[in-house]
Amino acid sequence: LTKLLTDNEFVITSLNDGKHLPHSKHFAGMAMDVRTRNLNQAERVARYEKARALLDLLGYDVIAEDDHDHCEYDPKPGEEKKWLERTT
């Protein structure tokens, strides 16, 4: 995943730990936060756009927060079908 998204350091800063909203997908093991402070603005935008393009089809949401990128598994109706259609 790291090589697909970036040639920069890829650091997961939170999985099911840390401070999150009470119903956060982090506590179910379905979300992660990724460090962005090591990236300049162009690198951050490029990684974010690539992550969204790759992971959206798999049912993931990627959200740019102020100091990190948040990624969570949250499939919408039909997303699983889109993935199957592209792989067959």
Side-chain angles (χ1 to χ4, degrees):
L1 181 60
T2 302
K3 272 299 190 192
L4 289 174
L5 296 177
T6 183
D7 288 326
N8 294 303
E9 183 177 56
F10 187 86
V11 178
I12 297 172
T13 59
S14 183
L15 291 171
N16 62 354
D17 56 347
K19 294 180 181 177
H20 304 286
L21 296 174
H23 298 290
S24 170
K25 292 189 178 288
H26 282 277
F27 300 118
M30 298 174 68
M32 69 176 179
D33 294 334
V34 179
R35 177 175 293 152
T36 57
R37 70 177 182 213
N38 58 313
L39 305 174
N40 65 41
Q41 186 64 22
E43 292 168 334
R44 185 173 180 184
V45 168
R47 185 172 75 184
Y48 170 78
E49 289 176 355
K50 195 169 189 180
R52 283 194 61 194
L54 290 169
L55 298 175
D56 182 61
L57 290 173
L58 300 174
Y60 288 85
D61 293 333
V62 181
I63 302 151
E65 303 280 351
D66 288 337
D67 60 350
H68 66 278
D69 287 340
H70 173 83
C71 180
E72 65 183 31
Y73 183 65
D74 189 20
K76 311 300 183 282
E79 282 184 331
E80 297 91 348
K81 185 178 178 185
K82 284 194 297 186
W83 169 249
L84 291 173
E85 288 170 356
R86 290 204 50 189
T87 59
T88 56

